[in-house]
Amino acid sequence: MNPKYWGTAGAGILPLCVKTGRVMLALRSSQVMEPGTWALFGGKIEPGESPEEAAVREFREETFYNGKIAIVPLFVFRDWLSGFAYYNFLGLVDREFAEAKVEEGWEADAARWMTLQQALKIRPKHFGLKALLADEESLEIIMSYAMTRNPEEDSYEIGDVRLWKYDSIGGFDIWVVNGSLIRSLKEIEFTIGGHHWRYPFIPRTQLWIEDTRDPIDLYANAMHEVIEATLMRDQGLDYDSAHEIASRRETEIRKSLL
């Protein structure tokens, strides 16, 4: 076993509060490897554990946080000479838990909530955190959840789940959203898309559709939500009736685009 690592595999979590877009880092204590560096929360994967299970267990042990958490896979660090692997995850939480509570443990001398920009600039970094933030795909994922919210817009409990604005159609701003995050922290039934008259937590002036890279899907799903929301808002139709009409129109739109 390489003395640089604890065990043959490890897993860790970078906590991110979806309400504020801020992340938390821990300043490692003198009782652990790489002391005095800023790092994620994590540790050794025990026998019989999956990387996801180990990451959540270590996170809860080190932060004393017992609330809901949704995890998103990130970069896997591998040392090909020793065979060691470290599985990184983004941990989405719905509130910023106390920094002081983390500091009661023996593994961290300090813990701080900070913006992603501050996390990128902070020094010194643990080599694992440095490798994670240098991975372009992981950084893109983290940035998508760390969006800055507009305080003038209607607020909703789970924070800003929007990824990017798709278009404005029929008086609605259409946003592509992270459906997995919505299902994990707010509404398990959310699928494909939605609007205020189906999901009241969505602002009345917005329509949300799930992220997809297929341009036909994006347009057809957006038009479905425009038609359905308009029928429910302006004509007072119930959801089932409006959904049936919107689905028929969506089918026609998809055929016309083939």
Side-chain angles (χ1 to χ4, degrees), residues 25 51 175:
L25 294 179
W175 286 86

Side-chain angles (χ1 to χ4, degrees), residues 11-171:
I13 283 178
L14 174 66
L16 186 149
C17 176
V18 296
K19 287 185 177 179
T20 65
R22 299 204 302 172
V23 299
M24 174 183 269
L25 294 179
L27 183 64
R28 294 169 67 84
S29 77
S30 60
Q31 301 181 61
V32 296
M33 295 177 179
E34 299 285 318
T37 59
W38 291 94
L40 280 64
F41 300 90
K44 177 182 176 182
I45 299 176
E46 299 292 348
E49 277 188 320
S50 68
E52 294 85 353
E53 291 169 337
V56 173
R57 174 184 55 76
E58 287 281 348
F59 169 72
R60 293 196 186 282
E61 288 176 358
E62 295 180 26
T63 63
F64 305 96
Y65 173 77
N66 59 6
K68 291 190 291 186
I69 181 170
I71 60 173
V72 179
L74 298 174
F75 170 69
V76 180
F77 170 84
R78 296 186 187 277
D79 185 322
W80 298 106
L81 292 178
S82 68
F84 177 83
Y86 194 91
Y87 298 82
N88 293 285
F89 297 92
L90 185 64
L92 305 171
V93 297
D94 58 6
R95 61 182 173 85
E96 292 189 1
F97 49 86
E99 297 167 342
K101 194 68 175 176
V102 179
E103 294 165 3
E104 292 178 8
W106 59 273
E107 296 187 62
D109 284 340
R112 294 290 181 270
W113 286 103
M114 62 188 75
T115 65
L116 180 57
Q117 189 66 22
Q118 290 170 327
L120 289 168
K121 292 180 178 179
I122 202 167
R123 301 287 188 275
K125 289 183 178 69
H126 184 276
F127 67 87
L129 175 62
K130 190 180 297 184
L132 171 63
L133 295 179
D135 180 68
E136 292 184 3
E137 184 175 349
S138 293
L139 187 57
E140 184 177 341
I141 292 171
I142 297 168
M143 289 175 64
S144 74
Y145 289 98
M147 289 178 60
T148 301
R149 295 180 63 196
N150 182 348
E152 295 180 357
E153 293 186 355
D154 292 339
S155 61
Y156 27 95
E157 295 177 6
I158 57 175
D160 202 341
V161 296
R162 301 171 305 175
L163 300 178
W164 48 278
K165 186 175 179 180
Y166 172 69
D167 204 347
S168 294
I169 303 175

